[in-house]
Every structure is written in structure tokens, then in C-alpha cells.
Amino acid sequence: MENILEIKDLVKTYGNRTVLDGINLTVKEKEVISILGSSGSGKSTLLRCINLLEEPTQAKIYFHNKDIIKNHTKPEEYRQKVGMVFQNFNLFDNLTVLDNCTISPIKILGIDKEKATKKAIHYLKKVGMDRFINARPKHLSGGQKQRVAIARALCMEPEILLFDEPTSALDPEMVTEVLNTMTDLAKDGMTMLVVTHEMNFARDVSTRVIFLDQGKIIEDNNSHDFFYNQQNERIKEFIK
Ligand SMILES: Nc1ncnc2c1ncn2[C@@H]1O[C@H](COP(=O)(O)OP(=O)(O)OP(=O)(O)O)[C@@H](O)[C@H]1O
Ligand SMILES: [Mg+2]
């Protein structure tokens, strides 16, 4: 499989604090990578640097072998290809479910309304939320909101999706429906980078697991060996 994303020597500092300390990471098409690590290890910052919500202090980032920093690629253009799903959904509360899904394709991609609507309904069906097109986010459960947020991200036709703890804000009974949706996406061949504390997802769905510690990747392994042949005592403790 071809490389989608190549991160070289990514450093992020805040003041004199180094939060990401020389991250190297290559993502191939269709890989599903879970990113694990304790609180403050830099997981969210890594995702935010990858889609340029945060400016890396130093890094080379290649998207399909193109250096997006050196070539001054417009961040918005690049970000269309690199979708993001947040812990707290970040839906537009004043818009209906349908409008949440069509606004960016219409405004940013310039797709006409009819086509954007068709596409939105297609992806809302995929996440099981097509019955709710006229609802406002405040009338939805957390799990439903997160599934809408995933559909909204898919409507931009991203090549890779980044998830930052997509189930952490959910009541336990809603975690499964979101994880099932993500599992379906993985089966469809979506390339995914997932910051998560869901060990079952990391073990059974992701192909690869990365462990971050104080801004460094201290392990990068296939998920089977990560969980079943783990040598690092601290990581063993973490995944227990
Ligand atoms: N805008 C910022 N300014 C200063 N420090 C920041 C900023 N954003 C993050 N940090 C610091 O960077 C470190 C890494 O934060 P980050 O949010 O990436 O960790 P995390 O692994 O996602 O943690 P969690 O599991 O709690 O979400 C933390 O110590 C945090 O305080
Ligand atoms: Mg975080």
C-alpha cells in the first residue's frame, strides 16, 4: 500500500516546554492506527499538528509524498483530505443534522445543494442517522451526535480520518454504537488515526498501535504483538 502521510521529526514546543519531541510516523493507505498514552503525553497535540490546527515548531509533513509545509499548501485544502472527529462532537448547534453535513461541502468544496444533500443522506445512512436529518443536535444523544459528526467528516470525502477520543465523552451504553460505526469504516478501508482508551478497539480493530510517552513514540507495533508480546513493563501496566 502507498504512503498517505509521512511525518518526519515533528517537534512542538509551548514556551520552553517540549510537548512533541521528534515524532516520526508513516501512515499507509487503509491502516487503522490507535494512539495510546497517558494524559499529557501529547496525543491530541500530535493529531492537531498533523492536520495543521496547530503549527508544528519543526516538522516535515508529506501527504502523498508532497511536502505540505515547504510547498505552502493551503491548510484548508489539505484539511479537506484529513478529516477530524473530536471528543465533544463540535457540531453546529443551530443547524439541523442535514445542514451540519452539507454546509462545508457547499461552502468549501463548492458542491451544489442537491448533490451535497444526496451525499449527506448517503453518509447519514451509513452511520444509521438518516432518520434524524431534521433534528437539532441538542435533541440527540451523545452517541447519535458523534455518529452525525462522523457522517459530517465523511461528507468532505477525506482520505484519512483523525479521531481524538471519540467515545470519551459518551455514556457507556453509547460507546458501542460509535465504536461499531468506526469498525464499519475500518472494514470499508478508511485510513484512520485514533486516539483512544478503548483497548478492545485498539486490539481488535486497529492494525497498528503507537504508544506515546512524554512526546515520544516509545512503541510502534502491529496490534497483535503490541498486546500479546508486550515487553515494556510500563506499557503492560497501561494496557491491563
Ligand atoms: N495550547 C497549549 N499551550 C500550552 N501547553 C499546552 C497547550 N496544549 C497542550 N499543552 C500541553 O501539552 C501537553 C500535551 O497535551 P495533549 O493535550 O496533547 O495531551 P494528551 O495526550 O492529549 O492528554 P489527554 O489524554 O489528557 O487528552 C500537556 O502537558 C499540555 O498541558
Ligand atoms: Mg487529548
Side-chain angles (χ1 to χ4, degrees), residues 154-167:
L154 292 172
C155 284
M156 293 298 278
E157 311 276 10
E159 292 185 35
I160 176 168
L161 269 184
L162 314 179
F163 294 82
D164 193 358
E165 303 203 31
T167 60

PDB file of all heavy atoms in Angstrom, residues 154-167:
ATOM      1  N   LEU A 154     -17.207  12.575   6.861  1.00  0.00           N
ATOM      2  CA  LEU A 154     -17.175  11.764   5.637  1.00  0.00           C
ATOM      3  C   LEU A 154     -17.683  12.545   4.423  1.00  0.00           C
ATOM      4  O   LEU A 154     -17.250  12.289   3.298  1.00  0.00           O
ATOM      5  CB  LEU A 154     -18.012  10.496   5.822  1.00  0.00           C
ATOM      6  CG  LEU A 154     -17.456   9.465   6.813  1.00  0.00           C
ATOM      7  CD1 LEU A 154     -18.475   8.357   7.054  1.00  0.00           C
ATOM      8  CD2 LEU A 154     -16.139   8.879   6.289  1.00  0.00           C
ATOM      9  N   CYS A 155     -18.604  13.477   4.656  1.00  0.00           N
ATOM     10  CA  CYS A 155     -19.154  14.268   3.549  1.00  0.00           C
ATOM     11  C   CYS A 155     -18.086  15.088   2.833  1.00  0.00           C
ATOM     12  O   CYS A 155     -18.287  15.524   1.703  1.00  0.00           O
ATOM     13  CB  CYS A 155     -20.260  15.200   4.052  1.00  0.00           C
ATOM     14  SG  CYS A 155     -21.793  14.315   4.372  1.00  0.00           S
ATOM     15  N   MET A 156     -16.969  15.328   3.471  1.00  0.00           N
ATOM     16  CA  MET A 156     -15.865  16.053   2.817  1.00  0.00           C
ATOM     17  C   MET A 156     -14.980  15.099   2.010  1.00  0.00           C
ATOM     18  O   MET A 156     -13.977  15.513   1.439  1.00  0.00           O
ATOM     19  CB  MET A 156     -15.018  16.791   3.860  1.00  0.00           C
ATOM     20  CG  MET A 156     -15.749  17.923   4.553  1.00  0.00           C
ATOM     21  SD  MET A 156     -16.266  19.218   3.415  1.00  0.00           S
ATOM     22  CE  MET A 156     -14.726  20.148   3.301  1.00  0.00           C
ATOM     23  N   GLU A 157     -15.356  13.827   1.989  1.00  0.00           N
ATOM     24  CA  GLU A 157     -14.595  12.793   1.277  1.00  0.00           C
ATOM     25  C   GLU A 157     -13.103  12.802   1.650  1.00  0.00           C
ATOM     26  O   GLU A 157     -12.240  12.892   0.786  1.00  0.00           O
ATOM     27  CB  GLU A 157     -14.727  12.962  -0.256  1.00  0.00           C
ATOM     28  CG  GLU A 157     -16.154  13.146  -0.762  1.00  0.00           C
ATOM     29  CD  GLU A 157     -16.911  11.836  -0.965  1.00  0.00           C
ATOM     30  OE1 GLU A 157     -16.393  10.788  -0.543  1.00  0.00           O
ATOM     31  OE2 GLU A 157     -18.023  11.896  -1.520  1.00  0.00           O
ATOM     32  N   PRO A 158     -12.813  12.702   2.941  1.00  0.00           N
ATOM     33  CA  PRO A 158     -11.405  12.725   3.369  1.00  0.00           C
ATOM     34  C   PRO A 158     -10.690  11.438   2.958  1.00  0.00           C
ATOM     35  O   PRO A 158     -11.332  10.420   2.727  1.00  0.00           O
ATOM     36  CB  PRO A 158     -11.512  12.799   4.893  1.00  0.00           C
ATOM     37  CG  PRO A 158     -12.799  12.105   5.203  1.00  0.00           C
ATOM     38  CD  PRO A 158     -13.726  12.448   4.074  1.00  0.00           C
ATOM     39  N   GLU A 159      -9.388  11.517   2.876  1.00  0.00           N
ATOM     40  CA  GLU A 159      -8.603  10.309   2.581  1.00  0.00           C
ATOM     41  C   GLU A 159      -8.121   9.649   3.861  1.00  0.00           C
ATOM     42  O   GLU A 159      -7.718   8.495   3.860  1.00  0.00           O
ATOM     43  CB  GLU A 159      -7.410  10.677   1.706  1.00  0.00           C
ATOM     44  CG  GLU A 159      -7.855  11.108   0.328  1.00  0.00           C
ATOM     45  CD  GLU A 159      -6.693  11.359  -0.585  1.00  0.00           C
ATOM     46  OE1 GLU A 159      -5.679  10.642  -0.479  1.00  0.00           O
ATOM     47  OE2 GLU A 159      -6.799  12.293  -1.389  1.00  0.00           O
ATOM     48  N   ILE A 160      -8.128  10.428   4.920  1.00  0.00           N
ATOM     49  CA  ILE A 160      -7.736   9.885   6.224  1.00  0.00           C
ATOM     50  C   ILE A 160      -8.573  10.599   7.287  1.00  0.00           C
ATOM     51  O   ILE A 160      -8.889  11.783   7.148  1.00  0.00           O
ATOM     52  CB  ILE A 160      -6.206  10.051   6.444  1.00  0.00           C
ATOM     53  CG1 ILE A 160      -5.763   9.585   7.829  1.00  0.00           C
ATOM     54  CG2 ILE A 160      -5.750  11.467   6.228  1.00  0.00           C
ATOM     55  CD1 ILE A 160      -4.248   9.469   7.946  1.00  0.00           C
ATOM     56  N   LEU A 161      -8.970   9.857   8.300  1.00  0.00           N
ATOM     57  CA  LEU A 161      -9.753  10.452   9.375  1.00  0.00           C
ATOM     58  C   LEU A 161      -8.989  10.359  10.687  1.00  0.00           C
ATOM     59  O   LEU A 161      -8.462   9.295  11.045  1.00  0.00           O
ATOM     60  CB  LEU A 161     -11.082   9.707   9.542  1.00  0.00           C
ATOM     61  CG  LEU A 161     -12.303  10.188   8.774  1.00  0.00           C
ATOM     62  CD1 LEU A 161     -13.526   9.363   9.175  1.00  0.00           C
ATOM     63  CD2 LEU A 161     -12.577  11.659   9.021  1.00  0.00           C
ATOM     64  N   LEU A 162      -8.935  11.473  11.409  1.00  0.00           N
ATOM     65  CA  LEU A 162      -8.288  11.521  12.719  1.00  0.00           C
ATOM     66  C   LEU A 162      -9.381  11.587  13.779  1.00  0.00           C
ATOM     67  O   LEU A 162     -10.311  12.391  13.668  1.00  0.00           O
ATOM     68  CB  LEU A 162      -7.403  12.771  12.828  1.00  0.00           C
ATOM     69  CG  LEU A 162      -6.478  13.109  11.661  1.00  0.00           C
ATOM     70  CD1 LEU A 162      -5.709  14.401  11.954  1.00  0.00           C
ATOM     71  CD2 LEU A 162      -5.521  11.973  11.388  1.00  0.00           C
ATOM     72  N   PHE A 163      -9.281  10.750  14.775  1.00  0.00           N
ATOM     73  CA  PHE A 163     -10.269  10.741  15.865  1.00  0.00           C
ATOM     74  C   PHE A 163      -9.555  11.041  17.168  1.00  0.00           C
ATOM     75  O   PHE A 163      -8.591  10.368  17.521  1.00  0.00           O
ATOM     76  CB  PHE A 163     -10.903   9.351  16.016  1.00  0.00           C
ATOM     77  CG  PHE A 163     -11.761   8.905  14.861  1.00  0.00           C
ATOM     78  CD1 PHE A 163     -11.189   8.351  13.728  1.00  0.00           C
ATOM     79  CD2 PHE A 163     -13.142   9.000  14.932  1.00  0.00           C
ATOM     80  CE1 PHE A 163     -11.982   7.915  12.665  1.00  0.00           C
ATOM     81  CE2 PHE A 163     -13.939   8.562  13.878  1.00  0.00           C
ATOM     82  CZ  PHE A 163     -13.361   8.019  12.747  1.00  0.00           C
ATOM     83  N   ASP A 164     -10.037  12.058  17.906  1.00  0.00           N
ATOM     84  CA  ASP A 164      -9.437  12.342  19.206  1.00  0.00           C
ATOM     85  C   ASP A 164     -10.396  11.913  20.319  1.00  0.00           C
ATOM     86  O   ASP A 164     -11.332  12.628  20.653  1.00  0.00           O
ATOM     87  CB  ASP A 164      -9.093  13.827  19.341  1.00  0.00           C
ATOM     88  CG  ASP A 164      -8.194  14.084  20.551  1.00  0.00           C
ATOM     89  OD1 ASP A 164      -7.887  13.115  21.298  1.00  0.00           O
ATOM     90  OD2 ASP A 164      -7.796  15.243  20.746  1.00  0.00           O
ATOM     91  N   GLU A 165     -10.171  10.739  20.875  1.00  0.00           N
ATOM     92  CA  GLU A 165     -11.014  10.189  21.939  1.00  0.00           C
ATOM     93  C   GLU A 165     -12.504  10.335  21.620  1.00  0.00           C
ATOM     94  O   GLU A 165     -13.239  10.960  22.397  1.00  0.00           O
ATOM     95  CB  GLU A 165     -10.665  10.845  23.281  1.00  0.00           C
ATOM     96  CG  GLU A 165      -9.197  10.678  23.626  1.00  0.00           C
ATOM     97  CD  GLU A 165      -8.920  10.802  25.121  1.00  0.00           C
ATOM     98  OE1 GLU A 165      -9.807  10.438  25.907  1.00  0.00           O
ATOM     99  OE2 GLU A 165      -7.832  11.234  25.480  1.00  0.00           O
ATOM    100  N   PRO A 166     -12.940   9.730  20.527  1.00  0.00           N
ATOM    101  CA  PRO A 166     -14.322   9.947  20.069  1.00  0.00           C
ATOM    102  C   PRO A 166     -15.378   9.385  20.995  1.00  0.00           C
ATOM    103  O   PRO A 166     -16.551   9.765  20.894  1.00  0.00           O
ATOM    104  CB  PRO A 166     -14.360   9.219  18.721  1.00  0.00           C
ATOM    105  CG  PRO A 166     -13.283   8.186  18.816  1.00  0.00           C
ATOM    106  CD  PRO A 166     -12.193   8.836  19.635  1.00  0.00           C
ATOM    107  N   THR A 167     -14.999   8.512  21.925  1.00  0.00           N
ATOM    108  CA  THR A 167     -16.019   7.930  22.814  1.00  0.00           C
ATOM    109  C   THR A 167     -15.855   8.355  24.266  1.00  0.00           C
ATOM    110  O   THR A 167     -16.616   7.928  25.129  1.00  0.00           O
ATOM    111  CB  THR A 167     -15.981   6.378  22.745  1.00  0.00           C
ATOM    112  OG1 THR A 167     -14.695   5.917  23.156  1.00  0.00           O
ATOM    113  CG2 THR A 167     -16.268   5.873  21.338  1.00  0.00           C
TER     114      THR A 167
END
